[in-house]
């Protein structure tokens, strides 16, 4: 069998699938621009380009142009204001470096990076899933990812698509035991967007699993050294941004204060102190009150949801079919979110690194099931674009 037969055809098939999904995304944005009214975030009938480069994309552009502030900006109340330190440098500066190739347009370069990264992530996800659930299910799983509710990120000036490419490559390298490849990927992940600390936890759990599975797959000294070294590197990279921000600004709490500045948009009386896992409890109480369940009701719902997710990761046969690495990553990333994130409408975007779990939805072989999941994906994509971009005028419509 030729190299083309082994790999080329699936690349073409995935490229066609990805292109069709992106055409659907652009069609959704055109429709959203048509439906946008004067009171929406972007005003009446905005240009699609303005929507693609709105919200956080503006922060990445601002970072590329102005860099990081040496002095933290303050609000009228004397608190640290929202600023560039919340955004990692790789995506913003890479788009800036490539902008001359696109007539000096940072926005065009940023969108192209997202488009290409999204396709790269789709292909790598297929390669991760194929040995576990077979080529057909892996293709469908990659399709669900390419068409998913948050796949609009693949045409936005956001760093998510590039981060997903690094992440999927790192997971692929771990599943195939090519640990040397993971070292540069950890660094790229760490300075593209927050989340590398979740990968550090994943490596720790993976190392424990490898120890207990050593009878079925021998655990040799070089592998132990790689796992420990990579876990240490991911941890150092994960905390290094706080150190860099502190050195540049002279404020030891610069990064955390910047991140907490966004939380004040939701909790007016927030004390501005970071305590692991506290934000999710506060968020559950906030949404419980907002939706009429009461604070305690919100926390109870959170616990029920977490128990349900844990049960699915432990016992659902479709999830177990994906292999231990994907399940351990899912656990690690969810624990990371619980520890650091205040749940609000951006939670949908922050759940995208869990995308390898799309493979579980592709395991059932029924064509009707798979087609139904694809329709739900496209419907969810339209719902997200319409609410976050055609409207975007309420507190729960922030991407």
């Amino acid at each position: 069998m030729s190299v083309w037969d082994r790999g080329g055809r699936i690349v073409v098939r995935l490229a066609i699938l990805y292109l069709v999904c992106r055409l659907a995304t652009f069609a959704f944005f055109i429709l959203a621009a048509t439906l946008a009214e004067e009171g929406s975030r972007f005003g009446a009938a905005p240009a699609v380009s303005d929507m693609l480069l709105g919200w956080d994309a503006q922060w990445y552009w601002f970072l590329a142009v102005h860099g990081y502030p040496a002095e933290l900006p303050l609000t009228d109340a004397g608190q640290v204001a929202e600023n560039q330190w919340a955004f990692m440098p790789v995506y913003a500066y890479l788009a800036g470096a490539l902008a001359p190739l696109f007539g000096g347009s940072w926005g065009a370069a940023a969108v192209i990076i997202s488009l290409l990264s999204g396709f790269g992530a789709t292909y790598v996800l297929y390669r991760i899933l194929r040995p576990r659930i077979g080529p057909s299910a892996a293709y469908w799983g990659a399709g669900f990812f390419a068409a998913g509710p948050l796949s609009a990120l693949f045409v936005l000036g956001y760093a998510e698509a590039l981060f997903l490419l690094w992440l999927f490559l790192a997971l692929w390298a771990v599943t195939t035991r090519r640990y040397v490849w993971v070292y540069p990927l950890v660094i790229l992940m760490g300075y593209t967007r927050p989340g590398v600390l979740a990968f550090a936890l994943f490596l720790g759990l993976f190392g424990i699993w490898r120890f207990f599975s050593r009878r079925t797959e021998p655990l040799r000294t070089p592998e132990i050294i790689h796992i420990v070294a990579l876990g240490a590197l991911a941890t150092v990279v994960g905390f290094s941004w706080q150190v860099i921000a502190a050195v540049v600004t002279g404020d030891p709490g610069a990064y955390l204060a910047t991140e907490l500045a966004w939380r004040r948009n939701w909790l007016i009386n927030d004390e501005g102190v970071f305590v692991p896992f506290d934000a999710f409890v506060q968020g559950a109480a906030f949404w419980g009150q907002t939706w009429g369940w009461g604070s305690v009701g919100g926390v109870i719902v959170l616990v029920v949801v977490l128990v349900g997710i844990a049960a699915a990761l432990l016992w659902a046969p479709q999830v177990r079919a994906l292999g231990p690495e994907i399940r351990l990553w899912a656990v690690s990333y969810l624990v990371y979110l619980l520890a650091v994130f205040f749940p609000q409408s951006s939670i949908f975007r922050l759940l995208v690194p869990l995308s390898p779990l799309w493979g579980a939805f592709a395991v059932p072989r029924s064509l009707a099931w798979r087609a139904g999941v694809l329709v739900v994906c496209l419907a969810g994509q339209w719902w997200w674009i319409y609410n976050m971009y055609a409207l975007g005028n309420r507190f729960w419509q922030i991407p």
Side-chain angles (χ1 to χ4, degrees), residues 381-397:
Q381 186 181 164
W382 164 245
W383 179 91
W384 193 78
I385 291 172
Y386 175 71
N387 278 281
M388 307 301 170
Y389 287 88
L391 301 179
N393 55 359
R394 295 173 183 252
F395 68 95
W396 53 269
Q397 294 169 326

mmCIF file with all atom_site columns, all heavy atoms in Angstrom, residues 381-397:
data_model
loop_
_atom_site.group_PDB
_atom_site.id
_atom_site.type_symbol
_atom_site.label_atom_id
_atom_site.label_alt_id
_atom_site.label_comp_id
_atom_site.label_asym_id
_atom_site.label_entity_id
_atom_site.label_seq_id
_atom_site.pdbx_PDB_ins_code
_atom_site.Cartn_x
_atom_site.Cartn_y
_atom_site.Cartn_z
_atom_site.occupancy
_atom_site.B_iso_or_equiv
_atom_site.pdbx_formal_charge
_atom_site.auth_seq_id
_atom_site.auth_comp_id
_atom_site.auth_asym_id
_atom_site.auth_atom_id
_atom_site.pdbx_PDB_model_num
ATOM 1   N N   . GLN A 1 381 ? -23.810 25.317 17.060 1.00 0.00 ? 381 GLN A N   1
ATOM 2   C CA  . GLN A 1 381 ? -22.910 26.334 16.517 1.00 0.00 ? 381 GLN A CA  1
ATOM 3   C C   . GLN A 1 381 ? -23.688 27.604 16.162 1.00 0.00 ? 381 GLN A C   1
ATOM 4   O O   . GLN A 1 381 ? -23.246 28.718 16.457 1.00 0.00 ? 381 GLN A O   1
ATOM 5   C CB  . GLN A 1 381 ? -22.192 25.786 15.279 1.00 0.00 ? 381 GLN A CB  1
ATOM 6   C CG  . GLN A 1 381 ? -21.132 26.726 14.747 1.00 0.00 ? 381 GLN A CG  1
ATOM 7   C CD  . GLN A 1 381 ? -20.435 26.185 13.507 1.00 0.00 ? 381 GLN A CD  1
ATOM 8   O OE1 . GLN A 1 381 ? -19.766 26.930 12.795 1.00 0.00 ? 381 GLN A OE1 1
ATOM 9   N NE2 . GLN A 1 381 ? -20.579 24.890 13.228 1.00 0.00 ? 381 GLN A NE2 1
ATOM 10  N N   . TRP A 1 382 ? -24.833 27.430 15.532 1.00 0.00 ? 382 TRP A N   1
ATOM 11  C CA  . TRP A 1 382 ? -25.649 28.598 15.189 1.00 0.00 ? 382 TRP A CA  1
ATOM 12  C C   . TRP A 1 382 ? -26.130 29.299 16.451 1.00 0.00 ? 382 TRP A C   1
ATOM 13  O O   . TRP A 1 382 ? -26.090 30.533 16.534 1.00 0.00 ? 382 TRP A O   1
ATOM 14  C CB  . TRP A 1 382 ? -26.844 28.197 14.322 1.00 0.00 ? 382 TRP A CB  1
ATOM 15  C CG  . TRP A 1 382 ? -27.900 29.281 14.280 1.00 0.00 ? 382 TRP A CG  1
ATOM 16  C CD1 . TRP A 1 382 ? -29.165 29.222 14.760 1.00 0.00 ? 382 TRP A CD1 1
ATOM 17  C CD2 . TRP A 1 382 ? -27.732 30.597 13.751 1.00 0.00 ? 382 TRP A CD2 1
ATOM 18  N NE1 . TRP A 1 382 ? -29.817 30.416 14.591 1.00 0.00 ? 382 TRP A NE1 1
ATOM 19  C CE2 . TRP A 1 382 ? -28.966 31.293 13.957 1.00 0.00 ? 382 TRP A CE2 1
ATOM 20  C CE3 . TRP A 1 382 ? -26.695 31.285 13.151 1.00 0.00 ? 382 TRP A CE3 1
ATOM 21  C CZ2 . TRP A 1 382 ? -29.169 32.607 13.557 1.00 0.00 ? 382 TRP A CZ2 1
ATOM 22  C CZ3 . TRP A 1 382 ? -26.884 32.612 12.756 1.00 0.00 ? 382 TRP A CZ3 1
ATOM 23  C CH2 . TRP A 1 382 ? -28.109 33.250 12.959 1.00 0.00 ? 382 TRP A CH2 1
ATOM 24  N N   . TRP A 1 383 ? -26.572 28.549 17.456 1.00 0.00 ? 383 TRP A N   1
ATOM 25  C CA  . TRP A 1 383 ? -27.049 29.158 18.704 1.00 0.00 ? 383 TRP A CA  1
ATOM 26  C C   . TRP A 1 383 ? -25.956 30.010 19.327 1.00 0.00 ? 383 TRP A C   1
ATOM 27  O O   . TRP A 1 383 ? -26.211 31.129 19.781 1.00 0.00 ? 383 TRP A O   1
ATOM 28  C CB  . TRP A 1 383 ? -27.490 28.064 19.685 1.00 0.00 ? 383 TRP A CB  1
ATOM 29  C CG  . TRP A 1 383 ? -27.982 28.594 21.000 1.00 0.00 ? 383 TRP A CG  1
ATOM 30  C CD1 . TRP A 1 383 ? -29.275 28.919 21.328 1.00 0.00 ? 383 TRP A CD1 1
ATOM 31  C CD2 . TRP A 1 383 ? -27.189 28.889 22.168 1.00 0.00 ? 383 TRP A CD2 1
ATOM 32  N NE1 . TRP A 1 383 ? -29.338 29.391 22.625 1.00 0.00 ? 383 TRP A NE1 1
ATOM 33  C CE2 . TRP A 1 383 ? -28.082 29.388 23.161 1.00 0.00 ? 383 TRP A CE2 1
ATOM 34  C CE3 . TRP A 1 383 ? -25.848 28.784 22.470 1.00 0.00 ? 383 TRP A CE3 1
ATOM 35  C CZ2 . TRP A 1 383 ? -27.650 29.770 24.431 1.00 0.00 ? 383 TRP A CZ2 1
ATOM 36  C CZ3 . TRP A 1 383 ? -25.404 29.170 23.732 1.00 0.00 ? 383 TRP A CZ3 1
ATOM 37  C CH2 . TRP A 1 383 ? -26.295 29.649 24.693 1.00 0.00 ? 383 TRP A CH2 1
ATOM 38  N N   . TRP A 1 384 ? -24.727 29.489 19.350 1.00 0.00 ? 384 TRP A N   1
ATOM 39  C CA  . TRP A 1 384 ? -23.617 30.215 19.971 1.00 0.00 ? 384 TRP A CA  1
ATOM 40  C C   . TRP A 1 384 ? -23.292 31.479 19.188 1.00 0.00 ? 384 TRP A C   1
ATOM 41  O O   . TRP A 1 384 ? -23.130 32.553 19.763 1.00 0.00 ? 384 TRP A O   1
ATOM 42  C CB  . TRP A 1 384 ? -22.394 29.299 20.052 1.00 0.00 ? 384 TRP A CB  1
ATOM 43  C CG  . TRP A 1 384 ? -21.309 29.840 20.937 1.00 0.00 ? 384 TRP A CG  1
ATOM 44  C CD1 . TRP A 1 384 ? -21.273 29.819 22.300 1.00 0.00 ? 384 TRP A CD1 1
ATOM 45  C CD2 . TRP A 1 384 ? -20.090 30.472 20.509 1.00 0.00 ? 384 TRP A CD2 1
ATOM 46  N NE1 . TRP A 1 384 ? -20.101 30.399 22.756 1.00 0.00 ? 384 TRP A NE1 1
ATOM 47  C CE2 . TRP A 1 384 ? -19.365 30.800 21.686 1.00 0.00 ? 384 TRP A CE2 1
ATOM 48  C CE3 . TRP A 1 384 ? -19.548 30.776 19.261 1.00 0.00 ? 384 TRP A CE3 1
ATOM 49  C CZ2 . TRP A 1 384 ? -18.123 31.433 21.635 1.00 0.00 ? 384 TRP A CZ2 1
ATOM 50  C CZ3 . TRP A 1 384 ? -18.311 31.415 19.204 1.00 0.00 ? 384 TRP A CZ3 1
ATOM 51  C CH2 . TRP A 1 384 ? -17.613 31.736 20.382 1.00 0.00 ? 384 TRP A CH2 1
ATOM 52  N N   . ILE A 1 385 ? -23.202 31.393 17.869 1.00 0.00 ? 385 ILE A N   1
ATOM 53  C CA  . ILE A 1 385 ? -22.879 32.558 17.039 1.00 0.00 ? 385 ILE A CA  1
ATOM 54  C C   . ILE A 1 385 ? -23.977 33.607 17.155 1.00 0.00 ? 385 ILE A C   1
ATOM 55  O O   . ILE A 1 385 ? -23.693 34.801 17.303 1.00 0.00 ? 385 ILE A O   1
ATOM 56  C CB  . ILE A 1 385 ? -22.678 32.126 15.570 1.00 0.00 ? 385 ILE A CB  1
ATOM 57  C CG1 . ILE A 1 385 ? -21.403 31.289 15.436 1.00 0.00 ? 385 ILE A CG1 1
ATOM 58  C CG2 . ILE A 1 385 ? -22.616 33.347 14.650 1.00 0.00 ? 385 ILE A CG2 1
ATOM 59  C CD1 . ILE A 1 385 ? -21.223 30.662 14.057 1.00 0.00 ? 385 ILE A CD1 1
ATOM 60  N N   . TYR A 1 386 ? -25.224 33.179 17.105 1.00 0.00 ? 386 TYR A N   1
ATOM 61  C CA  . TYR A 1 386 ? -26.330 34.130 17.167 1.00 0.00 ? 386 TYR A CA  1
ATOM 62  C C   . TYR A 1 386 ? -26.339 34.883 18.492 1.00 0.00 ? 386 TYR A C   1
ATOM 63  O O   . TYR A 1 386 ? -26.472 36.114 18.524 1.00 0.00 ? 386 TYR A O   1
ATOM 64  C CB  . TYR A 1 386 ? -27.659 33.395 16.970 1.00 0.00 ? 386 TYR A CB  1
ATOM 65  C CG  . TYR A 1 386 ? -28.866 34.295 17.132 1.00 0.00 ? 386 TYR A CG  1
ATOM 66  C CD1 . TYR A 1 386 ? -29.158 35.258 16.182 1.00 0.00 ? 386 TYR A CD1 1
ATOM 67  C CD2 . TYR A 1 386 ? -29.707 34.177 18.240 1.00 0.00 ? 386 TYR A CD2 1
ATOM 68  C CE1 . TYR A 1 386 ? -30.261 36.102 16.334 1.00 0.00 ? 386 TYR A CE1 1
ATOM 69  C CE2 . TYR A 1 386 ? -30.805 35.000 18.398 1.00 0.00 ? 386 TYR A CE2 1
ATOM 70  C CZ  . TYR A 1 386 ? -31.077 35.966 17.445 1.00 0.00 ? 386 TYR A CZ  1
ATOM 71  O OH  . TYR A 1 386 ? -32.152 36.796 17.604 1.00 0.00 ? 386 TYR A OH  1
ATOM 72  N N   . ASN A 1 387 ? -26.190 34.142 19.587 1.00 0.00 ? 387 ASN A N   1
ATOM 73  C CA  . ASN A 1 387 ? -26.258 34.786 20.893 1.00 0.00 ? 387 ASN A CA  1
ATOM 74  C C   . ASN A 1 387 ? -25.030 35.631 21.193 1.00 0.00 ? 387 ASN A C   1
ATOM 75  O O   . ASN A 1 387 ? -25.147 36.732 21.745 1.00 0.00 ? 387 ASN A O   1
ATOM 76  C CB  . ASN A 1 387 ? -26.448 33.734 21.992 1.00 0.00 ? 387 ASN A CB  1
ATOM 77  C CG  . ASN A 1 387 ? -27.886 33.322 22.150 1.00 0.00 ? 387 ASN A CG  1
ATOM 78  O OD1 . ASN A 1 387 ? -28.681 34.015 22.766 1.00 0.00 ? 387 ASN A OD1 1
ATOM 79  N ND2 . ASN A 1 387 ? -28.230 32.190 21.555 1.00 0.00 ? 387 ASN A ND2 1
ATOM 80  N N   . MET A 1 388 ? -23.845 35.146 20.858 1.00 0.00 ? 388 MET A N   1
ATOM 81  C CA  . MET A 1 388 ? -22.621 35.842 21.228 1.00 0.00 ? 388 MET A CA  1
ATOM 82  C C   . MET A 1 388 ? -22.254 36.964 20.257 1.00 0.00 ? 388 MET A C   1
ATOM 83  O O   . MET A 1 388 ? -21.580 37.922 20.644 1.00 0.00 ? 388 MET A O   1
ATOM 84  C CB  . MET A 1 388 ? -21.449 34.856 21.318 1.00 0.00 ? 388 MET A CB  1
ATOM 85  C CG  . MET A 1 388 ? -21.718 33.671 22.227 1.00 0.00 ? 388 MET A CG  1
ATOM 86  S SD  . MET A 1 388 ? -22.084 34.168 23.943 1.00 0.00 ? 388 MET A SD  1
ATOM 87  C CE  . MET A 1 388 ? -22.638 32.606 24.632 1.00 0.00 ? 388 MET A CE  1
ATOM 88  N N   . TYR A 1 389 ? -22.729 36.862 19.009 1.00 0.00 ? 389 TYR A N   1
ATOM 89  C CA  . TYR A 1 389 ? -22.298 37.838 18.005 1.00 0.00 ? 389 TYR A CA  1
ATOM 90  C C   . TYR A 1 389 ? -23.449 38.631 17.392 1.00 0.00 ? 389 TYR A C   1
ATOM 91  O O   . TYR A 1 389 ? -23.326 39.849 17.220 1.00 0.00 ? 389 TYR A O   1
ATOM 92  C CB  . TYR A 1 389 ? -21.479 37.133 16.917 1.00 0.00 ? 389 TYR A CB  1
ATOM 93  C CG  . TYR A 1 389 ? -20.112 36.759 17.438 1.00 0.00 ? 389 TYR A CG  1
ATOM 94  C CD1 . TYR A 1 389 ? -19.892 35.543 18.094 1.00 0.00 ? 389 TYR A CD1 1
ATOM 95  C CD2 . TYR A 1 389 ? -19.045 37.636 17.324 1.00 0.00 ? 389 TYR A CD2 1
ATOM 96  C CE1 . TYR A 1 389 ? -18.649 35.217 18.609 1.00 0.00 ? 389 TYR A CE1 1
ATOM 97  C CE2 . TYR A 1 389 ? -17.796 37.324 17.840 1.00 0.00 ? 389 TYR A CE2 1
ATOM 98  C CZ  . TYR A 1 389 ? -17.608 36.112 18.483 1.00 0.00 ? 389 TYR A CZ  1
ATOM 99  O OH  . TYR A 1 389 ? -16.371 35.815 19.011 1.00 0.00 ? 389 TYR A OH  1
ATOM 100 N N   . ALA A 1 390 ? -24.565 37.985 17.056 1.00 0.00 ? 390 ALA A N   1
ATOM 101 C CA  . ALA A 1 390 ? -25.698 38.759 16.545 1.00 0.00 ? 390 ALA A CA  1
ATOM 102 C C   . ALA A 1 390 ? -26.318 39.583 17.664 1.00 0.00 ? 390 ALA A C   1
ATOM 103 O O   . ALA A 1 390 ? -26.799 40.697 17.443 1.00 0.00 ? 390 ALA A O   1
ATOM 104 C CB  . ALA A 1 390 ? -26.751 37.831 15.945 1.00 0.00 ? 390 ALA A CB  1
ATOM 105 N N   . LEU A 1 391 ? -26.291 39.033 18.894 1.00 0.00 ? 391 LEU A N   1
ATOM 106 C CA  . LEU A 1 391 ? -26.861 39.736 20.050 1.00 0.00 ? 391 LEU A CA  1
ATOM 107 C C   . LEU A 1 391 ? -25.734 40.261 20.935 1.00 0.00 ? 391 LEU A C   1
ATOM 108 O O   . LEU A 1 391 ? -25.334 41.399 20.835 1.00 0.00 ? 391 LEU A O   1
ATOM 109 C CB  . LEU A 1 391 ? -27.797 38.805 20.816 1.00 0.00 ? 391 LEU A CB  1
ATOM 110 C CG  . LEU A 1 391 ? -28.983 38.238 20.018 1.00 0.00 ? 391 LEU A CG  1
ATOM 111 C CD1 . LEU A 1 391 ? -29.815 37.313 20.886 1.00 0.00 ? 391 LEU A CD1 1
ATOM 112 C CD2 . LEU A 1 391 ? -29.831 39.354 19.439 1.00 0.00 ? 391 LEU A CD2 1
ATOM 113 N N   . GLY A 1 392 ? -25.224 39.423 21.827 1.00 0.00 ? 392 GLY A N   1
ATOM 114 C CA  . GLY A 1 392 ? -24.116 39.831 22.675 1.00 0.00 ? 392 GLY A CA  1
ATOM 115 C C   . GLY A 1 392 ? -24.405 41.028 23.557 1.00 0.00 ? 392 GLY A C   1
ATOM 116 O O   . GLY A 1 392 ? -23.515 41.800 23.892 1.00 0.00 ? 392 GLY A O   1
ATOM 117 N N   . ASN A 1 393 ? -25.667 41.205 23.925 1.00 0.00 ? 393 ASN A N   1
ATOM 118 C CA  . ASN A 1 393 ? -26.046 42.395 24.679 1.00 0.00 ? 393 ASN A CA  1
ATOM 119 C C   . ASN A 1 393 ? -26.554 42.073 26.088 1.00 0.00 ? 393 ASN A C   1
ATOM 120 O O   . ASN A 1 393 ? -27.125 42.929 26.752 1.00 0.00 ? 393 ASN A O   1
ATOM 121 C CB  . ASN A 1 393 ? -27.116 43.186 23.916 1.00 0.00 ? 393 ASN A CB  1
ATOM 122 C CG  . ASN A 1 393 ? -28.328 42.338 23.560 1.00 0.00 ? 393 ASN A CG  1
ATOM 123 O OD1 . ASN A 1 393 ? -28.376 41.157 23.869 1.00 0.00 ? 393 ASN A OD1 1
ATOM 124 N ND2 . ASN A 1 393 ? -29.296 42.955 22.896 1.00 0.00 ? 393 ASN A ND2 1
ATOM 125 N N   . ARG A 1 394 ? -26.341 40.842 26.536 1.00 0.00 ? 394 ARG A N   1
ATOM 126 C CA  . ARG A 1 394 ? -26.716 40.452 27.880 1.00 0.00 ? 394 ARG A CA  1
ATOM 127 C C   . ARG A 1 394 ? -25.530 39.811 28.579 1.00 0.00 ? 394 ARG A C   1
ATOM 128 O O   . ARG A 1 394 ? -24.593 39.362 27.936 1.00 0.00 ? 394 ARG A O   1
ATOM 129 C CB  . ARG A 1 394 ? -27.911 39.485 27.865 1.00 0.00 ? 394 ARG A CB  1
ATOM 130 C CG  . ARG A 1 394 ? -29.201 40.118 27.336 1.00 0.00 ? 394 ARG A CG  1
ATOM 131 C CD  . ARG A 1 394 ? -30.290 39.073 27.194 1.00 0.00 ? 394 ARG A CD  1
ATOM 132 N NE  . ARG A 1 394 ? -31.487 39.666 26.632 1.00 0.00 ? 394 ARG A NE  1
ATOM 133 C CZ  . ARG A 1 394 ? -32.603 39.894 27.332 1.00 0.00 ? 394 ARG A CZ  1
ATOM 134 N NH1 . ARG A 1 394 ? -32.652 39.555 28.605 1.00 0.00 ? 394 ARG A NH1 1
ATOM 135 N NH2 . ARG A 1 394 ? -33.658 40.424 26.753 1.00 0.00 ? 394 ARG A NH2 1
ATOM 136 N N   . PHE A 1 395 ? -25.590 39.730 29.899 1.00 0.00 ? 395 PHE A N   1
ATOM 137 C CA  . PHE A 1 395 ? -24.438 39.283 30.649 1.00 0.00 ? 395 PHE A CA  1
ATOM 138 C C   . PHE A 1 395 ? -24.095 37.821 30.392 1.00 0.00 ? 395 PHE A C   1
ATOM 139 O O   . PHE A 1 395 ? -22.981 37.384 30.649 1.00 0.00 ? 395 PHE A O   1
ATOM 140 C CB  . PHE A 1 395 ? -24.648 39.515 32.155 1.00 0.00 ? 395 PHE A CB  1
ATOM 141 C CG  . PHE A 1 395 ? -25.710 38.658 32.770 1.00 0.00 ? 395 PHE A CG  1
ATOM 142 C CD1 . PHE A 1 395 ? -25.389 37.477 33.392 1.00 0.00 ? 395 PHE A CD1 1
ATOM 143 C CD2 . PHE A 1 395 ? -27.050 39.037 32.729 1.00 0.00 ? 395 PHE A CD2 1
ATOM 144 C CE1 . PHE A 1 395 ? -26.348 36.682 33.983 1.00 0.00 ? 395 PHE A CE1 1
ATOM 145 C CE2 . PHE A 1 395 ? -28.017 38.252 33.312 1.00 0.00 ? 395 PHE A CE2 1
ATOM 146 C CZ  . PHE A 1 395 ? -27.682 37.068 33.946 1.00 0.00 ? 395 PHE A CZ  1
ATOM 147 N N   . TRP A 1 396 ? -25.054 37.040 29.874 1.00 0.00 ? 396 TRP A N   1
ATOM 148 C CA  . TRP A 1 396 ? -24.776 35.630 29.600 1.00 0.00 ? 396 TRP A CA  1
ATOM 149 C C   . TRP A 1 396 ? -24.467 35.416 28.119 1.00 0.00 ? 396 TRP A C   1
ATOM 150 O O   . TRP A 1 396 ? -24.418 34.274 27.651 1.00 0.00 ? 396 TRP A O   1
ATOM 151 C CB  . TRP A 1 396 ? -25.952 34.751 30.017 1.00 0.00 ? 396 TRP A CB  1
ATOM 152 C CG  . TRP A 1 396 ? -27.274 35.153 29.444 1.00 0.00 ? 396 TRP A CG  1
ATOM 153 C CD1 . TRP A 1 396 ? -28.179 36.010 29.999 1.00 0.00 ? 396 TRP A CD1 1
ATOM 154 C CD2 . TRP A 1 396 ? -27.856 34.708 28.214 1.00 0.00 ? 396 TRP A CD2 1
ATOM 155 N NE1 . TRP A 1 396 ? -29.278 36.139 29.169 1.00 0.00 ? 396 TRP A NE1 1
ATOM 156 C CE2 . TRP A 1 396 ? -29.105 35.348 28.073 1.00 0.00 ? 396 TRP A CE2 1
ATOM 157 C CE3 . TRP A 1 396 ? -27.419 33.837 27.208 1.00 0.00 ? 396 TRP A CE3 1
ATOM 158 C CZ2 . TRP A 1 396 ? -29.922 35.147 26.974 1.00 0.00 ? 396 TRP A CZ2 1
ATOM 159 C CZ3 . TRP A 1 396 ? -28.245 33.640 26.099 1.00 0.00 ? 396 TRP A CZ3 1
ATOM 160 C CH2 . TRP A 1 396 ? -29.486 34.280 25.999 1.00 0.00 ? 396 TRP A CH2 1
ATOM 161 N N   . GLN A 1 397 ? -24.239 36.484 27.370 1.00 0.00 ? 397 GLN A N   1
ATOM 162 C CA  . GLN A 1 397 ? -23.936 36.386 25.938 1.00 0.00 ? 397 GLN A CA  1
ATOM 163 C C   . GLN A 1 397 ? -22.526 36.898 25.652 1.00 0.00 ? 397 GLN A C   1
ATOM 164 O O   . GLN A 1 397 ? -22.308 37.684 24.720 1.00 0.00 ? 397 GLN A O   1
ATOM 165 C CB  . GLN A 1 397 ? -24.981 37.153 25.128 1.00 0.00 ? 397 GLN A CB  1
ATOM 166 C CG  . GLN A 1 397 ? -26.367 36.533 25.213 1.00 0.00 ? 397 GLN A CG  1
ATOM 167 C CD  . GLN A 1 397 ? -27.450 37.431 24.646 1.00 0.00 ? 397 GLN A CD  1
ATOM 168 O OE1 . GLN A 1 397 ? -27.395 38.641 24.748 1.00 0.00 ? 397 GLN A OE1 1
ATOM 169 N NE2 . GLN A 1 397 ? -28.445 36.813 24.022 1.00 0.00 ? 397 GLN A NE2 1
#
